Amino acid sequence: MELLDGKYLSQTIKDEIKIEVDKILADGGRKPHLVAVLVGENPASQSYVRSKVRSCEQVGFGSALIERDSDISEEDLLNIVDDLNNDDSVDGFIVQLPLPDHIDPDKVTMAIDPKKDVDGFHPINLGRMTIGLPAYLPATPNGILEMLSRYNIETSGKECVIIGRSNIVGTPMSILLSRKSDPGNCTVTLCHSRTKDMVDHIRRADIIIAAIGRPNFVTADMVKKGAVVIDVGINRVDAPERKRGYKLVGDVDFENVAPLCSYITPVPGGVGLMTVVSLLMNTLRSYRKEVYG
Ligand code: GUN
C-alpha cells in the first residue's frame, strides 16, 4: 500500500507555482490575485477559506478575504460578486459554500463571471468541461486528477465507482474520469442515495472515490484487493480527548481499508490540500488568460 500524500504533493505544486510567480514578478508583472468571499460563521468553511488565503500568501499571490455576517441579503452578496467581476485587479474569486438558507447558491454561482470562476462551478465552465473545451475544472475533481497523474496511476479501462453525486465533486468527477483523456477512459459508476446494492458496485471497483460526507462509510468488506481509494470526506467527529474536542475523519474506514489498497489518500493530508492547490492553479491560468484568451 502506498499513501497518496496530499501534503507532499500540494507542497511540491505550491513550490512550482511560487517559481512561476517569482518569474512573473522579476519580469515586472503584477501578482496573480485571488479573492475569497465568506458568509457566516460555519467553522469548517472558516477553516477552508483561511487555508486558501494562507496558501495564496505562500506562493506569492495577492489575496483578500471578504467576510460578511450570515444575515447579509442576497442582493448585497450579488453586488459583491458584481464588483469582483468588474475589478480588473482580481484574476479569480470564490464564494465559499454552503450559504445561509435565504440565499440561493445557484443564483450566486451563476452571477460569477465564468472567466473569474476559479472554482469551476459556473454552468459555462461545467458545460465546457463536459465537451472537452478549455475550462476551469472544479477544484476537488481537478486535485484528484492531478494526484492520479503525478502518482502515475493508470486509469484507462478501469472500473471506477464514485459515491456521491454532488455538483462540486461526484458529478464532475464522473464526467472527467469517463472522458477520452489521461487520466480518464474509466468505466464510471456513480452511486447515490437511491442506488440499489451499492456494496456490489463498490466491490467491483478498481478505483473508489468516496464523496458522501459520512464518516467511515466505506469499510474493508467493500473494497477489492489492490483498489485505489480516494477519500474526499472531511467529517468532524467528537473526540473529547482532543484539545479541540473533535477530529477529522474521511468517508473511508482508513485503518481497516488501507492494508487492502494499492494506493489510498489519508484524511487529513489527502484530497483537501489538493483542492486548495487546484484553486491556485486555476488562478494562475486565469492570470495568464489560458482558458478564455
Ligand atoms: N465548499 C466545499 N468545497 C468548496 C469549494 O471547493 N469551493 C467553494 N466555493 N465552496 C466549497
Side-chain angles (χ1 to χ4, degrees):
M1 181 277 291
E2 189 175 345
L3 214 54
L4 295 169
D5 186 346
K7 199 168 171 189
Y8 168 78
L9 196 50
S10 64
Q11 190 55 53
T12 304
I13 299 173
K14 279 192 216 171
D15 292 345
E16 292 167 5
I17 296 175
K18 173 98 175 50
I19 290 169
E20 296 290 312
V21 174
D22 288 346
K23 263 192 226 147
I24 291 170
L25 297 180
D27 291 343
R30 67 165 177 83
K31 290 178 175 182
H33 189 192
L34 174 73
V35 175
V37 181
L38 175 62
V39 178
E41 297 190 347
N42 178 321
S45 292
Q46 285 174 328
S47 145
Y48 299 148
V49 167
R50 277 195 207 111
S51 153
K52 290 171 185 177
V53 170
R54 204 175 332 115
S55 297
C56 282
E57 287 159 9
Q58 288 166 356
V59 299
F61 283 8
S63 65
L65 172 58
I66 300 176
E67 284 184 276
R68 291 294 181 270
D69 292 337
S70 57
D71 61 359
I72 186 175
S73 68
E74 188 177 83
E75 189 189 354
D76 285 349
L77 183 58
L78 289 170
N79 283 333
I80 292 174
V81 168
D82 201 40
D83 288 346
L84 291 168
N85 284 338
N86 292 306
D87 184 340
D88 289 339
S89 75
V90 174
D91 297 295
F93 66 96
I94 63 154
V95 178
Q96 187 68 23
L97 303 176
L99 291 166
D101 289 346
H102 65 281
I103 299 177
D104 178 354
D106 292 338
K107 215 165 165 179
V108 174
T109 298
M110 285 198 277
I112 297 174
D113 182 342
K115 295 189 180 70
K116 295 194 178 187
D117 168 39
V118 285
D119 255 332
F121 291 173
H122 193 287
I124 296 262
N125 278 313
L126 290 172
R128 290 174 66 101
M129 173 196 88
T130 303
I131 61 169
L133 288 173
Y136 297 116
L137 302 183
T140 299
N142 191 32
I144 293 171
L145 292 185
E146 196 66 31
M147 206 167 213
L148 293 169
S149 164
R150 293 210 183 210
Y151 274 86
N152 292 314
I153 294 174
E154 180 62 77
T155 57
S156 184
K158 303 289 181 188
E159 291 283 339
C160 174
V161 170
I162 299 170
I163 314 165
R165 58 179 158 185
S166 72
N167 285 343
I168 66 178
V169 184
T171 295
M173 194 77 253
S174 70
I175 295 167
L176 287 165
L177 278 176
S178 54
R179 285 193 313 184
K180 192 171 184 175
S181 63
D182 183 22
N185 285 322
C186 287
T187 304
V188 175
T189 304
L190 182 56
C191 294
H192 47 75
S193 53
R194 300 295 171 94
T195 298
K196 290 203 180 99
D197 305 321
M198 192 184 304
V199 173
D200 292 344
H201 289 291
I202 301 173
R203 277 199 192 116
R204 273 193 295 108
D206 302 307
I207 302 172
I208 299 170
I209 300 184
I212 38 167
R214 284 174 54 182
N216 301 324
F217 178 84
V218 177
T219 49
D221 58 306
M222 303 179 189
V223 177
K224 183 167 86 177
K225 201 162 182 324
V228 175
V229 175
I230 310 281
D231 190 351
V232 183
I234 304 179
N235 308 292
R236 287 184 181 212
V237 298
D238 290 341
E241 73 282 7
R242 301 267 175 116
K243 212 165 98 191
R244 290 184 297 190
Y246 68 88
K247 64 176 179 175
L248 297 178
V249 301
D251 290 350
V252 176
D253 173 10
F254 182 89
E255 195 185 328
N256 294 306
V257 168
L260 296 169
C261 300
S262 54
Y263 295 92
I264 186 168
T265 60
V267 177
V271 172
L273 298 168
M274 296 304 294
T275 299
V276 178
V277 154
S278 292
L279 199 59
L280 300 177
M281 295 193 313
N282 278 345
T283 304
L284 193 56
R285 293 178 81 202
S286 173
Y287 176 88
R288 293 208 176 110
K289 306 213 177 318
E290 276 175 21
V291 175
Y292 286 96

